[in-house]
């Protein structure tokens, strides 16, 4: 057992990254007493590296492999669809100014992170859904700035959802969910996507 002065403490952000979970999820686990946590005099959460590494070892390797493959497949399929689809099927893309495309990519990456955390979470996580709504609102703001009509903005959001669902259905044997788990996976993808779509629509009101 190491002496206390030898213990390495991690911030909430660093511990979340080590575990591969959203910071809101780790915060909730700590508040529920599921993960040992030290609160600094300033009110910040600190986690012993040993505790976090022990928890990480208990995390399902299958879940990690699943998330990694889903993200990789979705990214590859998105690039392929954009490159090969007829112009009429991706007219929304032409409306995005070149200067704004990095911001759109960043939003897509953030949304993928939320989706992966949400589908790997056994419980509904309202904080993750709030983050999905925030991302949808930011996306709607960018779409408005690009002069997109609402139908085009939603078409782009539906494109992401459909690509994500297609990728989930094409996972390899090693990471493919069982039939009963696949239904849950698709419901949770739809749940996040619905929050994003509603937030986009609200941006246009």
């Amino acid at each position: 057992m190491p002496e206390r002065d030898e213990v390495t403490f991690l911030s909430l952000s660093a511990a979340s990254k080590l575990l591969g979970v959203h910071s809101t999820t780790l915060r909730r686990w700590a508040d529920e007493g599921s993960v040992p946590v030290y609160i600094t005099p300033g009110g910040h959460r600190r986690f012993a590296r040993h505790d976090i590494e022990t928890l990480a070892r208990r995390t399902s390797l299958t879940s990690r492999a699943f998330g990694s493959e889903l993200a990789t497949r979705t990214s590859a399929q998105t690039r392929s669809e954009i490159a090969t689809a007829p112009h009429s099927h991706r007219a929304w893309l032409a409306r995005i100014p070149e200067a704004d495309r990095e911001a759109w990519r960043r939003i897509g990456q953030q949304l993928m992170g939320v989706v992966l955390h949400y589908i790997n979470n056994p419980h509904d996580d309202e904080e993750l859904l709030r983050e999905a709504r925030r991302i949808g609102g930011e996306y709607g703001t960018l779409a408005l700035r690009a002069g997109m009509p609402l139908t085009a903005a939603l078409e782009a959001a539906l494109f992401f959802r459909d690509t994500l669902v297609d990728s989930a259905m094409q996972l390899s044997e090693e990471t493919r969910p069982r039939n009963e788990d696949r239904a849950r996976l698709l419901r949770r993808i739809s749940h996040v996507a619905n929050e994003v779509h509603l937030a986009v629509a609200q941006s246009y009101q």
Side-chain angles (χ1 to χ4, degrees):
M1 182 98 178
E3 296 295 330
R4 182 171 180 82
D5 59 1
E6 295 177 350
V7 175
T8 300
F9 285 97
L10 302 172
S11 67
L12 176 65
S13 175
S16 300
K17 288 179 181 178
L18 186 58
L19 279 174
V21 301
H22 196 278
S23 58
T24 56
T25 299
L26 180 55
R27 183 186 296 115
R28 188 182 70 250
W29 289 349
D31 292 346
E32 292 173 348
S34 302
V35 180
V37 61
Y38 167 70
I39 307 297
T40 70
H44 300 289
R45 296 169 178 80
R46 294 292 181 266
F47 301 85
R49 176 179 284 275
H50 172 76
D51 293 330
I52 297 301
E53 288 177 343
T54 299
L55 181 59
R57 284 193 293 271
R58 297 203 304 265
T59 301
S60 167
L61 293 177
T62 300
S63 295
R64 293 185 183 182
F66 164 79
S68 176
E69 184 179 348
L70 181 60
T72 300
R73 281 183 176 272
T74 301
S75 178
Q77 185 163 335
T78 298
R79 290 194 297 269
S80 175
E81 290 279 348
I82 287 176
T84 61
H87 179 75
S88 60
H89 291 179
R90 52 184 175 87
W92 53 267
L93 183 62
R95 292 178 176 269
I96 303 175
E98 192 64 39
D100 287 350
R101 295 198 175 187
E102 181 56 37
W104 284 74
R105 281 190 288 270
R106 176 178 53 79
I107 288 177
Q109 291 167 351
Q110 290 176 350
L111 183 55
M112 174 59 78
V114 170
V115 168
L116 291 179
H117 287 307
Y118 190 71
I119 63 181
N120 280 318
N121 192 332
H123 308 292
D124 286 339
D125 192 323
E126 181 56 35
E127 289 185 79
L128 283 174
L129 294 178
R130 278 200 295 271
E131 179 66 7
R133 289 192 289 272
R134 183 198 66 76
I135 292 171
E138 185 176 353
Y139 169 80
T141 299
L142 282 176
L144 276 169
R145 191 169 73 189
M148 282 189 191
L150 177 58
T151 51
L154 290 176
E155 182 183 358
L158 289 169
F159 170 81
F160 175 82
R161 186 204 63 185
D162 291 346
T163 304
L164 190 58
V165 169
D166 288 346
S167 298
M169 299 302 290
Q170 296 170 17
L171 293 170
S172 63
E173 288 288 343
E174 291 79 9
T175 55
R176 186 180 301 157
R178 296 170 300 178
N179 288 337
E180 59 269 28
D181 292 333
R182 189 177 303 175
R184 174 186 177 277
L185 166 65
L186 296 179
R187 283 196 303 271
R188 291 180 81 77
I189 289 175
S190 293
H191 200 171
V192 174
N194 289 345
E195 296 294 336
V196 172
H197 298 161
L198 288 172
V200 171
Q202 288 171 356
S203 298
Y204 278 73
Q205 291 181 350

